[in-house]
Amino acid sequence: MNKEFQRQLKEIALPVTVQSLMQSSLSLIDQIMIGSLGSDCIAGVGLAGKFTSLYSVTLTAIVSVAGILIAQYRGAKDERGVSDSFFLPFYFAMLLTAFFSVVCLTAPKAIMALYSDDADTVAKAAVYLKWRTLEFLPSALTLFFSTMLRNMNKAKLPAIAGIVSIFSNTLFNWLLIFGIGIFPRMEEAGAAMATSIARFIEMAIVLALFAKEKEMQDIYLRPSFRFSVKFLKNIAAILVPILIGEFLWSLGENVYAGIYGHLGKEPCAAMTLMYPIQGIAIGSLGGVASAAGIITGNSLGANNQQKAWSQATDFVRLTVKAGITIGIAVCALAPLYVRLFNVAPETRLSTIKILVAFAVVFTAKVFNMVIGGGVLTSGGQTKLITIINITGTWGFGVPLGLIAAYLFHLPIWWVYFILSTEEFVRVAISVWLLFSHRWMKNLAVKSAVS
């Protein structure tokens, strides 16, 4: 790694990583609070969270397309291209937000009944899902303007807003879950409400910081509804495949959640207890994934393919080393972690075994996140990434999970490990694509509008 790469990595990745780790760490505190309400609540919140991930993953895919294009147009010093690359995906995101809001507000119980046969779990999941709908709009605005700030070399600013949001979320969780002082006891509804309040706070801070920074840097950003045919074709070629791929991947994750939910309340609770550690482990490299797309995208936009390749190999080495190290740490800390929760002994033991399985596949998971979701998409080759995601999830993960759970009736940790082996399939395809150099494309075409 040269000094310039280290500097860029520090400026972009470190703030995002700190924010991700803070979010995941305080999510652990949230989970401990929710855990005191019983296995029904743990399982219900976990399953509802999986459905909201359909929205968040699809939204993040749209934002990532904006980030890819913004990075390349900034590398090419094309201000109008940057502006259009922000607003066209933003319009798609608003349509997505409206659709999911209507669905979650009108049919929460029917949705959650798909995930579990347990009436109490479904009831709590439906309440949580309905209240979480309030966070959809502020989350979308925050993600878009945070992406813009990171591309303006101001990654620290959205991180500051995120940290404030995290502490706000934890505070309101405590007040609203348990009904402290003048606040009503809302239990799982309180957990969802706390998240929504925190998202509004984060949005307000990000928008204020962006407005100030935009004026200081004199950034051109004007809403437009007129785009050239060439620009529309360019963005459609990237957006459509990644939307399909990320949605189908997230839908596969929801099928996994349905498999866990139908294995029983306690196994499902064990899986839910695993999620905070998964969030911390993956979040520790979340900033690296963001940096991978921006750094290599800038180089490709500047027509410096040799530099982009050198950066890509640096990201591979960093990801593999960090993945192995973190996986070992998860295995070592798993027995201590489960002692934090007031759950049955069998639920604790199941959680430990699930965490060990997670540690085994962790390096493959983060390789797919950093290299597949960052480096390879920086050149706009989202069609190939879509094929990778669909092949892994639907060609291997879903069938293997169904066979393990319903044909062989294996315990949940074996079901999780077997379906997670699809990560290795995706790694193999991604490595081939990486070394083929087919991903190294300059997308920063001129004349973004007619």
Side-chain angles (χ1 to χ4, degrees):
M1 275 183 220
N2 58 43
K3 290 184 179 179
E4 181 189 2
F5 180 84
Q6 292 179 15
R7 178 188 61 77
Q8 288 180 304
L9 188 64
K10 181 179 179 181
E11 288 180 354
I12 300 171
L14 187 59
V16 178
T17 298
V18 170
Q19 182 181 354
S20 297
L21 288 175
M22 290 290 294
Q23 177 70 65
S24 299
S25 298
L26 290 177
S27 291
L28 172 59
I29 297 174
D30 297 347
Q31 191 67 70
I32 294 172
M33 292 182 190
I34 294 169
S36 67
L37 302 177
S39 294
D40 287 337
C41 202
I42 294 174
V45 169
L47 292 177
K50 276 297 178 184
F51 182 78
T52 62
S53 74
L54 270 175
Y55 168 74
S56 61
V57 167
T58 308
L59 173 65
T60 301
I62 297 173
V63 175
S64 71
V65 171
I68 291 167
L69 291 167
I70 290 168
Q72 291 221 10
Y73 278 111
R74 280 185 64 82
K77 303 186 186 306
D78 185 338
E79 290 187 342
R80 185 56 187 271
V82 170
S83 181
D84 289 342
S85 298
F86 177 89
F87 279 106
L88 188 54
F90 180 76
Y91 301 149
F92 280 103
M94 292 301 99
L95 292 174
L96 178 77
T97 300
F99 172 76
F100 268 90
S101 296
V102 170
V103 170
C104 292
L105 287 172
T106 57
K109 202 164 209 178
I111 293 169
M112 297 320 304
L114 299 173
Y115 290 76
S116 176
D117 297 325
D118 186 86
D120 292 335
T121 298
V122 169
K124 291 184 179 298
V127 170
Y128 182 82
L129 178 62
K130 193 170 185 177
W131 284 99
R132 275 290 295 271
T133 306
L134 297 174
E135 71 148 315
F136 289 169
L137 179 61
S139 293
L141 292 170
T142 298
L143 279 175
F144 268 91
F145 285 97
S146 294
T147 295
M148 195 67 203
L149 283 167
R150 292 184 186 113
N151 273 282
M152 293 161 64
N153 297 319
K154 293 295 178 180
K156 293 180 181 179
L157 299 183
I160 292 170
I163 290 170
V164 172
S165 171
I166 290 162
F167 281 108
S168 300
N169 188 18
T170 302
L171 173 62
F172 282 105
N173 262 326
W174 177 61
L175 295 174
L176 294 171
I177 290 174
F178 302 113
I180 305 300
I182 62 172
F183 293 89
R185 181 182 176 90
M186 298 177 67
E187 298 189 349
E188 67 277 359
M193 174 64 83
T195 300
S196 298
I197 292 171
R199 293 300 186 205
F200 275 101
I201 293 172
E202 183 179 18
M203 177 194 70
I205 296 172
V206 166
L207 290 178
L209 292 172
F210 174 78
K212 180 180 178 182
E213 199 61 38
K214 178 179 178 294
E215 184 177 350
M216 290 176 62
Q217 293 195 27
D218 193 26
I219 297 293
Y220 178 89
L221 199 65
R222 299 285 188 276
S224 175
F225 295 94
R226 294 179 63 250
F227 307 95
S228 70
V229 173
K230 191 172 185 179
F231 180 77
L232 290 171
K233 287 182 177 179
N234 192 26
I235 199 168
I238 304 170
L239 180 60
V240 173
I242 202 169
L243 267 182
I244 294 172
E246 291 299 304
F247 180 80
L248 288 177
W249 172 82
S250 183
L251 186 61
E253 290 289 312
N254 276 262
V255 172
Y256 298 161
I259 293 171
Y260 306 143
H262 286 90
L263 289 176
K265 179 166 52 179
E266 294 301 331
C268 185
M271 276 302 306
T272 303
L273 294 183
M274 183 273 285
Y275 293 145
I277 293 299
Q278 176 178 271
I280 291 172
I282 292 177
S284 65
L285 292 173
V288 177
S290 296
I294 293 173
I295 291 173
T296 55
N298 286 161
S299 297
L300 291 174
N303 275 325
N304 194 337
Q305 292 196 346
Q306 184 178 356
K307 185 177 182 181
W309 174 250
S310 175
Q311 292 165 339
T313 55
D314 283 339
F315 278 115
V316 169
R317 285 191 288 268
L318 175 61
T319 301
V320 172
K321 289 178 182 177
I324 293 171
T325 302
I326 294 169
I328 293 171
V330 168
C331 284
L333 296 174
L336 298 176
Y337 168 71
V338 297
R339 295 180 186 177
L340 297 172
F341 298 95
N342 183 26
V343 293
E346 59 268 26
T347 304
R348 289 183 179 178
L349 182 59
S350 293
T351 304
I352 292 173
K353 292 179 178 179
I354 293 168
L355 285 170
V356 171
F358 167 73
V360 173
V361 299
F362 177 70
T363 301
K365 277 184 176 292
V366 291
F367 185 94
N368 291 323
M369 178 180 72
V370 176
I371 306 305
V375 172
L376 298 182
T377 57
S378 68
Q381 298 304 295
T382 54
K383 289 181 182 178
L384 292 170
I385 301 303
T386 297
I387 293 171
I388 292 172
N389 289 338
I390 293 174
T391 300
T393 301
W394 292 95
F396 290 86
V398 170
L400 289 174
L402 292 171
I403 290 169
Y406 299 119
L407 183 60
F408 293 105
H409 304 286
L410 297 176
I412 191 166
W413 55 87
W414 274 113
V415 173
Y416 171 76
F417 175 74
I418 290 170
L419 64 82
S420 294
T421 56
E422 58 97 0
E423 299 284 357
F424 297 105
V425 175
R426 293 166 61 196
V427 166
I429 303 173
S430 295
V431 168
W432 168 79
L433 179 58
L434 179 71
F435 281 93
S436 74
H437 290 209
R438 293 176 63 184
W439 57 276
M440 300 175 72
K441 305 291 184 182
N442 184 349
L443 306 171
V445 293
K446 295 295 182 179
S447 302
V449 295
S450 56

